[in-house]
């Protein structure tokens, strides 16, 4: 098992390098110049050249990439061009808000998704199954920003139950969590339903029925355990996608998270901040995939046997 984890970590190295190249290249292909936000009205070309040289933007892109990557590998994310602060400090302020939102949304989608999936599987082709699958399908097709605005209108403006924006109280977290987690709830519910139906048709389930074990106990204790293997895989992928999907939601709810920092920095063409934000989101996806593979190997005896 330790050898498997080590091999999976080694596979992340070329992926990380490829992602860093893509992020750096895309950011520098975007039209605009961060120096424009630093120049005062009436500044001449000489002042532009001085500021450009100060931040190393006059060097070739290959050299700039190497300097940036070397700093990242040493834990130095650089200095924000516009904010003139260490990027690590900006990330440290924003990341806890995004992690709180992401983890709560993941817990929300996991809990409600598995419960709804189990209910739908136990009532296959009945009204409850059709109603749940129809509801989750509708929820999964709603764009996050539109759902967030709708929830603000109903629960904040009309009913006054939750704050419109901000992150000062825990009540301000409810609507963003529902907005981000609803799409994941639909996905987890569908995967749980299909996995439970497939697991219920295996031979060991027929044997348990033949032994006289109660159907509810069979489904919850044995069938559900086997059905959770693909669910864990989906949830591990959702770790990164939830952080990425929270970008627009954080902007809608004016939360001071990674998404708000990313959008603000994009508008200012602040290269170091944008690169750091995108790299963190990419690393979240990679680590989520790694965690999912390890958990799946730990849960499935067949995978452990294949690993030796």
């Amino acid at each position: 098992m330790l050898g498997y984890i080590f091999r999976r970590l080694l596979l992340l190295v070329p992926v990380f390098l490829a992602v860093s190249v893509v992020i750096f290249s895309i950011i520098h292909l975007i039209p605009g110049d961060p120096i424009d936000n630093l120049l005062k009205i009436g500044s001449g070309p000489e002042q532009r050249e001085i500021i450009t040289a100060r931040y190393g933007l006059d060097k070739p892109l290959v050299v700039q990439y190497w300097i940036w990557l070397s700093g990242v590998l040493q834990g130095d994310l650089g200095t924000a061009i516009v904010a003139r602060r260490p990027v690590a400090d900006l990330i440290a302020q924003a990341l806890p808000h995004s992690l709180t939102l992401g983890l709560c949304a993941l817990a929300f989608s996991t809990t409600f998704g598995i419960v709804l999936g189990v209910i739908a599987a136990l009532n296959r082709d009945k009204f409850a199954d059709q109603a749940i699958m129809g509801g989750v399908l509708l929820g999964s097709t709603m764009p996050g920003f539109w759902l967030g605005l709708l929830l603000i209108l109903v629960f904040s403006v009309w009913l006054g139950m939750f704050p419109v924006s901000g992150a000062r109280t825990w009540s301000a977290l409810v609507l963003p969590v529902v907005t981000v987690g609803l799409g994941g709830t639909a996905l987890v519910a569908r995967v749980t339903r299909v996995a439970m139906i497939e697991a219920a048709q295996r031979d060991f389930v027929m044997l348990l029925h033949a032994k006289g074990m109660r159907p509810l106990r069979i489904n919850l204790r044995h069938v559900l355990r086997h059905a959770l293997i693909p669910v864990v895989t989906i949830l591990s992928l959702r770790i990164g996608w939830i952080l990425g999907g929270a970008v627009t939601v954080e902007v809608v709810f004016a939360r001071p998270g990674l998404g708000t920092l990313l959008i603000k920095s994009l508008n200012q063409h602040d290269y170091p901040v944008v690169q750091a934000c995108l790299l963190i989101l990419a690393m979240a996806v990679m680590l989520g995939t790694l965690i999912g593979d390890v958990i799946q190997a730990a849960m499935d005896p067949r995978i452990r046997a294949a690993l030796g």
Side-chain angles (χ1 to χ4, degrees):
M1 190 68 178
L2 292 177
Y4 172 74
I5 297 175
F6 181 71
R7 291 194 300 270
R8 290 290 289 110
L9 286 173
L10 289 180
L11 289 176
L12 291 182
V13 175
V15 176
F16 172 81
L17 294 176
V19 168
S20 67
V21 171
V22 172
I23 290 174
F24 185 87
S25 302
I26 291 178
I27 295 304
H28 285 76
L29 289 175
I30 296 177
D33 191 345
I35 305 302
D36 294 335
N37 296 301
L38 300 178
L39 290 174
K40 298 180 181 180
I41 299 176
S43 298
E46 298 81 6
Q47 187 66 24
R48 172 180 285 274
E49 292 178 0
I50 293 174
I51 298 178
T52 302
R54 180 189 304 168
Y55 290 100
L57 299 178
D58 57 334
K59 296 181 175 65
L61 287 180
V62 176
V63 177
Q64 292 185 43
Y65 169 74
W66 177 250
I67 294 174
W68 172 67
L69 181 62
S70 301
V72 169
L73 295 178
Q74 297 175 17
D76 181 12
L77 299 177
T79 303
I81 297 176
V82 178
R84 302 181 184 180
R85 293 178 55 193
V87 177
D89 292 348
L90 299 175
I91 297 295
Q93 289 181 355
L95 189 58
H97 295 284
S98 296
L99 287 177
T100 302
L101 174 59
L103 292 176
C104 290
L106 183 65
F108 174 85
S109 60
T110 301
T111 303
F112 285 92
I114 292 177
V115 170
L116 292 176
V118 169
I119 295 175
L122 295 180
N123 297 275
R124 182 181 180 184
D125 297 330
K126 296 181 181 179
F127 175 76
D129 180 22
Q130 297 174 355
I132 291 175
M133 288 298 101
V136 298
L137 178 62
L138 178 63
S140 63
T141 56
M142 291 184 182
F145 68 92
W146 184 84
L147 178 61
L149 293 174
L150 183 63
L151 292 178
I152 289 175
L153 178 63
V154 175
F155 293 99
S156 298
V157 179
W158 291 352
L159 300 179
M161 296 175 61
F162 302 103
V164 174
S165 60
R168 296 181 179 179
T169 61
W170 283 101
S171 60
L173 193 62
V174 175
L175 296 184
V177 166
V178 174
T179 303
V180 177
L182 192 58
T185 301
L187 178 61
V188 173
R190 292 199 301 269
V191 173
T192 303
R193 176 186 180 275
V194 173
M196 282 201 64
I197 292 175
E198 291 179 353
Q201 298 173 355
R202 295 181 182 178
D203 294 338
F204 77 91
V205 178
M206 298 179 61
L207 179 61
L208 293 176
H209 282 289
K211 289 184 176 180
M213 189 177 295
R214 291 183 300 175
L216 184 61
R217 184 181 179 184
I218 294 175
N219 286 314
L220 296 182
R221 185 172 180 177
H222 299 279
V223 176
L224 180 59
R225 185 176 65 179
H226 286 78
L228 285 180
I229 296 176
V231 175
V232 169
T233 304
I234 294 296
L235 290 176
S236 63
L237 295 176
R238 290 289 300 174
I239 294 175
W241 294 119
I242 278 182
L243 287 179
V247 170
T248 56
V249 175
E250 286 181 340
V251 174
V252 169
F253 289 94
R255 290 184 59 83
L258 205 62
T260 302
L261 178 63
L262 175 60
I263 298 300
K264 180 181 178 181
S265 301
L266 276 173
N267 292 331
Q268 297 174 339
H269 298 92
D270 201 333
Y271 296 152
V273 181
V274 176
Q275 289 167 180
C277 291
L278 294 179
L279 191 63
I280 288 176
L281 294 177
M283 290 178 62
V285 175
M286 291 187 290
L287 291 177
T289 305
L290 173 64
I291 293 172
D293 290 344
V294 173
I295 294 177
Q296 187 175 14
M299 293 178 60
D300 195 338
R302 296 169 297 179
I303 298 180
R304 292 200 301 271
L307 296 176

